[in-house]
Amino acid sequence: MSSWDGLDEFVAVAECGQFTAAAQRLGLSSSQVSRQIARLEETLQTRLFYRSTRRVALTEAGQTFLQHCQRLQDAREEALRAVGDLGSEPKGLLRMTCAVAYGERFIVPLVTQFMSRHPLLKVDIELSNRTLDLVQDGIDLAIRLGRLQDSRLVATRLAPRRMYVCAAPGYLQRYGRPHSLSELSQHNCLIGSSDHWAFQQDGRELSQRVHGNWRCNSGQAVLDAALQGLGLCQLPDYYVQEHLGSGALVSVLEKHQAPNTAVWALYPQQRHLSPKVRQLVDHLKAGLAHLG
């Protein structure tokens, strides 16, 4: 007897509470189901059911065995779907969200490229700097930046994300280059969505409050102000890399640079991702690696 024989019959009887109903569910005769259960009990050397003329009830061993068998059935179905989905065409509606600036610059172009290859797919993208509730709002996929907070979500790392403190050469010529975190208080810091900047010192991560005469909750606006020489800024790599390369901005406090975070794809916890989500996540990961 195969170690798998009788498992489906056992689960069906346990869930239906009757051999006849279980046989109908499986499309078998009652005698076939009964024989499989008897063989299974013989193999296990334990009784799985208490039997009466009208119903059957699980023994303590049967209750324990049922939990494991149901997980095995779920895993088997997941494996079959996963293989079957390898060549499946993404289709239907996919709802996703991302922060505005990063979404406009990187994510939306990659999603548009993906849709051109999969015309049966419909995508609804909400660009928002608010953290939306994926479960409550019915969102299939979120692109998040930085560190993760919501343990209810499954995450796939798409790309690294590095923070830079930098300024225009003209500003540094006028006010000097800071060499320690304590010197930040002597500089005009361009504040974005937070007045606390992330650093590391002596191997420890820390958050330091900064001050300045300019504030705007737009990364692009902070970048423009820094390019005009108004002060120091702290921004992610995708805002400043081009300008650091051209010399329009200069990186400072490199030894205190914040530990790398990441760009993440998040989706509600589930055992099996649909082809549309799984294939789009793969496409985004490859596309962002190419851009990097």
Side-chain angles (χ1 to χ4, degrees), residues 147 161-163 198-201 203-206 256-262:
R147 299 191 182 280
R161 177 177 178 265
R162 194 174 185 186
M163 299 294 291
F199 296 99
Q200 64 176 343
Q201 184 166 275
R204 296 182 298 106
E205 296 183 36
L206 58 89
H256 297 294
Q257 190 169 46
N260 290 355
T261 53

Side-chain angles (χ1 to χ4, degrees), residues 35-53:
R35 282 196 301 270
Q36 287 285 27
I37 297 297
R39 290 173 183 169
L40 185 59
E41 288 179 323
E42 183 179 350
T43 300
L44 296 173
Q45 291 294 293
T46 188
R47 176 176 288 187
L48 299 173
F49 293 107
Y50 297 114
R51 295 165 174 82
S52 70
T53 55

Side-chain angles (χ1 to χ4, degrees), residues 33 117 187 191-192 194 221 251 272 276 283 290:
V33 173
R117 301 174 185 174
H187 286 268
I191 300 171
S194 174
S251 176
H272 179 70
K276 60 188 177 184
H283 179 76
H290 176 72

Side-chain angles (χ1 to χ4, degrees), residues 236-281:
D237 46 17
Y238 51 87
Y239 278 110
V240 299
Q241 276 180 332
E242 175 186 350
H243 302 290
L244 291 173
S246 69
L249 290 176
V250 177
S251 176
V252 300
L253 297 173
E254 290 91 344
K255 68 179 181 179
H256 297 294
Q257 190 169 46
N260 290 355
T261 53
V263 180
W264 303 93
L266 280 79
Y267 28 87
Q269 283 187 357
Q270 52 186 333
R271 291 182 178 177
H272 179 70
L273 280 181
S274 64
K276 60 188 177 184
V277 175
R278 176 176 51 79
Q279 293 185 38
L280 178 55
V281 168

Side-chain angles (χ1 to χ4, degrees), residues 157-202:
R157 187 176 184 271
L158 297 178
R161 177 177 178 265
R162 194 174 185 186
M163 299 294 291
Y164 287 88
V165 176
C166 49
Y171 174 86
L172 297 178
Q173 289 174 4
R174 290 193 301 274
Y175 301 103
R177 180 181 184 132
H179 296 284
S180 67
L181 297 183
S182 61
E183 293 180 44
L184 281 176
S185 61
Q186 304 168 21
H187 286 268
N188 190 42
C189 294
L190 306 171
I191 300 171
S193 57
S194 174
D195 60 358
H196 284 77
W197 289 3
F199 296 99
Q200 64 176 343
Q201 184 166 275
D202 301 325

Side-chain angles (χ1 to χ4, degrees), residues 88-189:
S88 296
E89 174 70 12
K91 58 186 176 181
L93 175 63
L94 189 155
R95 299 191 66 227
M96 63 181 298
T97 183
C98 183
V100 177
Y102 193 81
E104 288 177 339
R105 185 171 179 183
F106 297 106
I107 299 301
V108 172
L110 287 172
V111 173
T112 303
Q113 183 186 75
F114 183 76
M115 289 189 68
S116 68
R117 301 174 185 174
H118 303 287
L120 298 179
L121 183 65
K122 180 180 179 181
V123 175
D124 181 345
I125 308 173
E126 181 167 352
L127 297 181
S128 173
N129 292 330
R130 294 183 298 113
T131 301
L132 303 181
D133 187 313
L134 273 63
V135 177
Q136 182 176 329
D137 296 330
I139 296 173
D140 301 298
L141 176 65
I143 308 303
R144 298 265 170 86
L145 311 173
R147 299 191 182 280
L148 302 180
Q149 306 293 332
D150 197 336
S151 61
R152 298 176 304 162
L153 304 176
V154 181
T156 297
R157 187 176 184 271
L158 297 178
R161 177 177 178 265
R162 194 174 185 186
M163 299 294 291
Y164 287 88
V165 176
C166 49
Y171 174 86
L172 297 178
Q173 289 174 4
R174 290 193 301 274
Y175 301 103
R177 180 181 184 132
H179 296 284
S180 67
L181 297 183
S182 61
E183 293 180 44
L184 281 176
S185 61
Q186 304 168 21
H187 286 268
N188 190 42
C189 294

